[in-house]
Amino acid sequence: ARVVDADSSEEERRIEAALRPRRLTDFPGQQRVRDQLGLVLEAARRRQAPPDHVLLSGPPGLGKTTLAMIIAAELEQPIRITSGPAIQHAGDLAAVLSSMSEGEVLFLDEIHRMSRPAEEMLYLAMEDFRVDVIVGKGPGATAIPLELPPFTVVGATTRSGLLPAPLRDRFGFTGHLDFYSTEDLVKILTRNATLLEIEADPAGVEQIASRSRGTPRIANRLLRRVRDWAQVHGRHVVDLPAAEAALDLFDVDARGLDRLDRAVLEALCQRFGGGPVGLSTLAVAVGEEPDTVETVAEPFLVREGFMVRTPRGRAASPLAWQHLGLTPPQGSPG
Ligand code: ADP
């Protein structure tokens, strides 16, 4: 697994659970979503009724699960957690829905990966608080409508574009999460260092934050690796030299690019004169599957302006040449 992967392993989820902010006021960054959500929740509190269903969209590791848990905490309600891939059959969803209690929060992670029949059941439940329970099989099967108490669905998706419009429309509020500024990541890391009893100085924290790709999950992971480095080297502080040495060891450069990201850019610049070059040719040059280059390296490189996608293939931007310390050939589009 890459140290800059924005997804987490099971094991890591356990570590993360201890670091999640519990209330909206403890959640740094995402000011807009926080203000909007604060309003929606406060209004619901005053009406003494569950709020509209909430959809949280944005790349992995930015705090969607954390916000879902905060929503439940702010409403002083329990939360039930499941995910699209875990609901393969409509019956799985029916079992969850029919046991919801009034006001409870149902968190559906990766909601875009739910099966179609489950999705259809969910529309009905979100809109009318009703679920049709199918009794029997084959031609004799009958649907028995079951009334549900009002509750709140919090859906999370990395790809809101993949949600069918009817499902998207059932959410009264959608919050779009964006990558964090270095400044906000510094706040998160400073708080987490305290929670983990890690002594960290501002320059060390800033260095970790600036290499974390705008993603708290990556920032938290890099903090743990720098802490490891400091401990093993008998230093007790996460400071600038420790951060630089540890992150260099893990191949995370000053802009958060890892070995694969740099290999892609180096191939683009040094083997293909900056491109454009087709994805599969580029992938062969770095010894990876085209899919890996496209889904693992490319999104970040494009987002940060190192690479551009053109109709004729991938090309290096002037920033890529500069970052690698290379000079683009005369007259190149780069
Ligand atoms: P997602 O569900 O979007 O993949 P998570 O909510 O699981 O992301 O967050 C990943 C990790 O990053 C968790 O450890 C979480 O505590 C931390 N995190 C995310 N956003 C914030 C934030 N704004 N403040 C503090 N920690 C955060």
Side-chain angles (χ1 to χ4, degrees):
R2 304 161 80 205
V3 74
V4 293
D5 191 345
D7 287 316
S8 61
S9 62
E10 273 301 311
E11 170 61 22
E12 195 166 49
R13 293 222 151 232
R14 272 192 290 279
I15 302 173
E16 286 184 345
L19 296 178
R20 289 186 199 285
R22 311 258 173 234
R23 305 308 287 230
L24 216 45
T25 47
D26 300 332
F27 187 93
Q30 311 295 343
Q31 179 84 43
R32 205 174 163 71
V33 172
R34 226 162 8 104
D35 290 349
Q36 294 167 338
L37 206 49
L39 180 76
V40 170
L41 296 178
E42 179 57 27
R45 218 174 356 240
R46 293 192 186 187
R47 285 196 301 269
Q48 299 196 338
D52 279 356
H53 303 298
V54 173
L55 182 65
L56 299 171
S57 86
L62 298 192
K64 296 182 295 298
T65 306
T66 307
L67 277 177
M69 296 172 105
I70 288 176
I71 290 171
E74 296 286 345
L75 294 169
E76 298 180 28
Q77 290 290 344
I79 181 167
R80 197 101 47 110
I81 298 179
T82 184
S83 70
I87 298 175
Q88 275 322 306
H89 307 286
D92 301 336
L93 184 63
V96 175
L97 291 172
S98 59
S99 64
M100 292 297 290
S101 54
E102 181 164 350
E104 200 172 356
V105 173
L106 174 61
F107 177 53
L108 285 167
D109 201 5
E110 296 187 76
I111 193 169
H112 59 276
R113 293 179 60 194
M114 225 163 35
S115 71
R116 185 45 65 96
E119 229 169 62
E120 282 167 11
M121 176 180 280
L122 186 62
Y123 306 157
L124 195 66
M126 289 171 75
E127 185 131 309
D128 299 337
F129 296 107
R130 190 162 65 84
V131 59
D132 287 328
V133 180
I134 310 291
V135 180
K137 274 202 161 78
T142 39
I144 301 180
L146 180 70
E147 294 283 329
L148 304 174
F151 60 94
T152 304
V153 173
V154 178
T157 179
T158 48
R159 318 272 300 269
S160 65
L162 288 186
L163 274 196
L167 181 55
R168 222 170 29 219
D169 292 347
R170 286 340 185 252
F171 289 97
F173 169 70
T174 300
H176 295 282
L177 277 70
D178 224 323
F179 292 99
Y180 289 69
S181 63
T182 299
E183 199 186 343
D184 286 332
L185 290 177
V186 163
K187 285 187 204 150
I188 294 172
L189 286 170
T190 305
R191 172 180 175 274
N192 291 349
T194 308
L195 289 175
L196 295 170
E197 300 183 358
I198 298 172
E199 201 181 323
D201 79 3
V205 167
E206 162 101 26
Q207 187 59 213
I208 298 171
S210 65
R211 297 195 195 196
S212 298
R213 298 168 167 247
T215 306
R217 170 170 292 135
I218 298 175
N220 286 340
R221 189 184 298 134
L222 296 185
L223 173 66
R224 295 197 300 274
R225 294 297 78 80
V226 177
R227 181 235 9 227
D228 293 347
W229 190 96
Q231 276 174 351
V232 168
H233 289 79
R235 303 166 69 121
H236 300 291
V237 186
V238 164
D239 55 10
L240 183 60
E244 284 178 340
L247 298 177
D248 289 349
L249 178 67
F250 282 95
D251 264 318
V252 182
D253 75 13
R255 291 289 305 267
L257 275 65
D258 78 347
R259 187 197 298 260
L260 174 66
D261 300 320
R262 278 194 310 275
V264 168
L265 291 186
E266 275 161 11
L268 255 184
C269 294
Q270 293 179 318
R271 311 231 347 226
F272 304 107
V277 60
L279 174 66
S280 40
T281 312
L282 181 62
V284 170
V286 293
E288 290 287 350
E289 293 297 321
D291 189 52
T292 306
V293 172
E294 188 170 27
T295 61
V296 178
E298 191 169 281
F300 177 69
L301 294 175
V302 170
R303 182 188 109 210
E304 295 293 302
F306 290 103
M307 190 202 244
V308 280
R309 291 177 67 149
T310 76
R312 288 182 302 135
R314 276 66 178 171
S317 70
L319 184 64
W321 292 93
Q322 190 191 333
H323 186 69
L324 297 174
L326 300 170
T327 313
Q330 287 292 314
S332 89

